[in-house]
Amino acid sequence: MRTFPELSRRRFLLGASSLALFAGLAPVRNARAAPKLDGYPFTLGVASGDPWPDGFVIWTRLAPKPLHEHGGMPMLAVPVKWQVAEDERFGKIVQSGEHLARPELGHSVHVEVSGLKPSRPYWYRFFVEGGEASAIGTVRTAPRAGDTPGRLRIAVAGCQAYFHGWFDAYRHISEEPGLDVLFHYGDYIYEGSEAAARKSGYQIRDASGDVVERLHHGDELYTLDDYRRRYAQYKSDADLQAAHASVAFIASFDDHEVDNDWNGIWDQDRTPPELFALRRFHAMQAWYENSPVRRTQFPRADGGTAYFRRLDYGNLLRMHVLDTRSYRSNQICPNPKALAKCRFEQGKDSSILGPAQEAWLHSGLDAGKRWNLIAQQVWVMPLQGREPEGGLHGPYEDKWDGFPDSRRRLVQGISDRKLTNVVIATGDAHMNAVAEVPLRDDERDGPAVATEFLATSISSNGDGAVDSPSVRRFSQADNPFLKLIDNLRGYHTYDITATEWRTDIKVMDQVQRKGGRLSTRASFIVEPHAPKLHRA
């Protein structure tokens, strides 16, 4: 078998990083007035993200023809004006400016607004000279450091396979009253081809019941232009745009933003790491271009970007946003034939976070905050499944199960710090699951160290059900810490005060037909003095 040389890998990666940085961010000497664009440029909507007490990020991306080459944009830097106001009529504009939407960054715009007041709403919009204004978005700043707000409201969502169903859940999110922020745990796009989407067999209907095509555009994603076009397809969805315009997103990512089940330097097909690094860099540049994140999340090809970050909401909440993909060591291999996904025997040291991120997380868990939220991607709880014939399923290698030493250090670190206020937000699995995470895997009904809320998908896996083979494999007898599990679609909301954390499990009655209705499946209460779940 032919192998590929490293091609002086460090020199190449550092060179690519420098090219990306200087091409994308250095001044454009020949910048001029906005060229005439071939249509309305704000077809992908607006978004905000990562609120701080004095500001936030506002985002848009110019794409008059979203699925055309370069989104229908000329290969020129285009000036984009922006405004932030204290009222939705823009009667009192408090910040404004101009930003160059550069072709090197897919004509995306990221403005880090600062100098604002804490704990209040703002409205924002964009303009291109001679054209219509963008839609108006709204966003709230975080509380001032040291303050304890009376209430904080967070939504949690992710896993939105375009070809599995409609994004009606996002329309419902846009109508949720009083949201402060939304944590998006990942799988914002899916990387597969139109042919694979068609073969999957999900039948999608419009509101009248007629079958419609809702498929991926193009082949599997590898190049930067591929990923940009797929984001444009997803972001053209009106319900997703409505959610973005209504609340700030704290954006993370999981596997499908790059490749299914990717694992550090490896993809699922054993592609040589130096080649997969190219695909991963293209994918992460596209993620940055299409996410309302700060300059510190700008991707570096040498792997130096820290996508994990921390946001404080006064003394009420500290949110630790993790990256459970980029720094993984080799994961446990329960099946020796599955060498494309896992590469060593059980028992060796492992980390799902990598040493630096793991140390950062442990050092930042704060007893001085009323709540610590670990916002991440794959389930931490030691779920034990069974095969259809009744035998025990092996470790779920793509979850924290595949990194048992990492999970052991996490739960022991929480216990050693005597923290009783840790809540874990999770996604990825396309199901709802609510659990008290035990201190020891072999004492599954023993003391708990945290509560975990696994939020189901927006659309992935199509119409769900309360009961299905995929959830029956996790019995109460095998998982006594598990308080709820189902296979419905939807999202979660957290209502947080100093004395109580309430999670509402919001579910859709359908996603494969347009017009799905929302209801509350169940509600749980946690108090900060004990990691114990109570039905509301």
Side-chain angles (χ1 to χ4, degrees):
M1 180 179 71
R2 183 180 178 186
T3 59
F4 291 82
E6 278 286 324
L7 305 175
S8 186
R9 185 166 178 267
R10 176 173 171 79
R11 184 173 60 184
F12 164 77
L13 290 176
L14 289 173
S17 177
S18 298
L19 286 171
L21 278 165
F22 290 112
L25 302 178
V28 176
R29 293 179 180 176
N30 64 346
R32 54 181 186 270
K36 183 174 176 58
L37 303 181
D38 189 15
Y40 178 65
F42 302 111
T43 60
L44 305 184
V46 300
S48 63
D50 282 17
W52 287 355
D54 72 334
F56 36 74
V57 179
I58 57 174
W59 172 97
T60 193
R61 178 180 160 205
L62 308 183
K65 297 185 181 301
L67 298 185
H68 287 207
E69 185 178 28
H70 308 308
M73 287 293 294
M75 290 293 95
L76 298 168
V78 177
V80 178
K81 297 183 186 300
W82 57 270
Q83 295 175 335
V84 173
E86 288 189 351
D87 63 294
E88 57 187 325
R89 296 178 180 272
F90 285 79
K92 186 176 181 181
I93 295 170
V94 292
Q95 295 273 357
S96 62
E98 184 173 279
H99 186 96
L100 283 178
R102 301 174 182 274
E104 295 91 342
L105 291 176
H107 289 102
S108 62
V109 173
H110 296 75
V111 179
E112 296 187 19
V113 184
S114 61
L116 302 177
K117 300 172 185 176
S119 296
R120 63 147 296 148
Y122 288 92
W123 288 261
Y124 62 94
R125 63 185 176 185
F126 300 90
F127 302 87
V128 170
E129 185 178 322
E132 295 179 60
S134 71
I136 294 171
T138 186
V139 53
R140 291 188 67 89
T141 47
R144 184 184 291 107
D147 287 355
T148 302
R151 181 172 173 267
L152 182 66
R153 194 152 198 260
I154 301 174
V156 179
C159 287
Q160 52 204 54
Y162 187 86
F163 60 100
H164 286 189
W166 300 101
F167 292 172
D168 286 309
Y170 275 126
R171 173 172 50 83
H172 291 292
I173 286 174
S174 74
E175 297 166 355
E176 287 278 357
L179 283 180
D180 290 275
V181 75
L182 182 149
F183 169 57
H184 195 287
Y185 57 74
D187 290 348
Y188 191 99
I189 62 165
Y190 280 66
E191 81 287 4
S193 67
E194 177 182 340
R198 191 181 300 277
K199 188 177 179 181
S200 69
Y202 284 88
Q203 194 170 74
I204 310 301
R205 298 178 181 272
D206 63 18
S208 64
D210 294 332
V211 175
V212 297
E213 280 204 338
R214 186 174 165 89
L215 300 171
H216 281 158
H217 178 87
D219 210 335
E220 185 159 347
L221 312 181
Y222 285 91
T223 70
L224 178 56
D225 284 341
D226 291 342
Y227 284 102
R228 283 172 171 168
R229 189 174 295 114
R230 185 62 51 82
Y231 275 101
Q233 181 178 18
Y234 278 56
K235 283 182 167 293
S236 296
D237 185 276
D239 294 323
L240 177 56
Q241 287 190 21
H244 271 298
S246 70
V247 65
F249 275 45
I250 296 176
S252 190
F253 57 87
D254 195 19
D255 54 337
H256 289 289
E257 284 87 352
V258 181
D259 181 46
N260 180 55
D261 284 359
W262 69 279
N263 178 40
I265 64 171
W266 300 97
D267 70 359
Q268 65 174 348
D269 301 314
R270 286 189 74 84
T271 299
E274 62 271 20
L275 297 186
F276 178 55
L278 301 176
R279 182 183 188 185
R280 193 171 71 244
F281 182 65
H282 292 156
M284 293 314 299
Q285 180 174 339
W287 174 83
Y288 172 82
E289 291 174 355
N290 289 279
S291 301
V293 293
R294 294 181 181 271
R295 181 72 58 83
T296 49
Q297 274 68 64
F298 189 90
R300 288 170 46 185
D302 64 357
T305 306
Y307 296 104
F308 55 91
R309 57 205 191 273
R310 192 172 282 128
L311 293 98
D312 283 344
Y313 283 81
N315 285 332
L316 181 62
L317 175 78
R318 169 163 285 185
M319 182 185 294
H320 315 263
V321 183
L322 305 189
D323 171 3
T324 60
R325 288 288 165 188
S326 302
Y327 308 104
R328 292 183 174 203
S329 57
N330 287 338
Q331 59 202 34
I332 282 175
C333 190
N335 177 2
K337 296 180 180 178
L339 293 178
K341 286 189 176 182
C342 48
R343 292 165 188 85
F344 62 56
E345 299 79 19
Q346 180 119 356
K348 293 190 177 180
D349 184 66
S350 61
S351 178
I352 195 171
L353 302 177
Q357 183 178 193
E358 193 169 300
W360 168 87
L361 173 60
H362 284 265
S363 67
L365 289 168
D366 189 352
K369 304 297 181 187
R370 298 298 179 93
W371 298 97
N372 281 271
L373 173 59
I374 298 178
Q376 51 100 57
Q377 292 71 45
V378 293
W379 75 59
V380 175
M381 63 184 87
L383 277 175
Q384 176 63 70
R386 287 191 178 268
E387 304 289 1
E389 66 277 6
L392 290 176
H393 190 286
Y396 292 91
E397 71 272 12
D398 191 54
K399 321 303 183 188
W400 284 69
D401 252 17
F403 307 86
D405 298 298
S406 206
R407 179 164 63 200
R408 193 176 305 118
R409 289 190 295 271
L410 173 63
V411 296
Q412 191 63 54
I414 294 170
S415 178
D416 289 347
R417 288 168 175 78
K418 295 181 170 52
L419 295 174
T420 58
N421 62 356
V422 176
V423 177
I424 302 171
T426 301
D428 174 71
H430 310 165
M431 63 185 187
N432 289 304
V434 178
E436 297 168 358
V437 179
L439 174 61
R440 288 176 285 276
D441 290 2
D442 59 356
E443 196 176 333
R444 305 169 74 77
D445 58 353
V449 298
T451 52
E452 182 172 7
F453 296 101
L454 194 166
T456 188
S457 63
I458 291 288
S459 62
S460 300
N461 283 22
D463 289 341
V466 171
D467 189 25
S468 70
S470 64
V471 299
R472 283 197 296 272
R473 59 185 166 159
F474 303 114
S475 71
Q476 185 72 30
D478 291 328
N479 303 281
F481 53 81
L482 195 60
K483 307 306 178 184
L484 176 144
I485 189 166
D486 67 39
N487 187 32
L488 296 167
R489 308 283 78 82
Y491 58 92
H492 292 185
T493 58
Y494 301 155
D495 285 276
I496 306 165
T497 69
T499 59
E500 181 181 281
W501 180 298
R502 178 189 174 109
T503 295
D504 290 327
I505 313 298
K506 304 290 187 82
V507 298
M508 301 291 294
D509 65 339
Q510 60 184 15
V511 296
Q512 289 177 236
R513 178 169 173 166
K514 187 66 178 167
R517 293 175 296 180
L518 184 76
S519 63
T520 300
R521 160 98 164 106
S523 301
F524 292 87
I525 301 293
V526 185
E527 296 171 344
H529 58 79
K532 186 171 179 59
L533 293 159
H534 307 274
R535 284 269 189 166

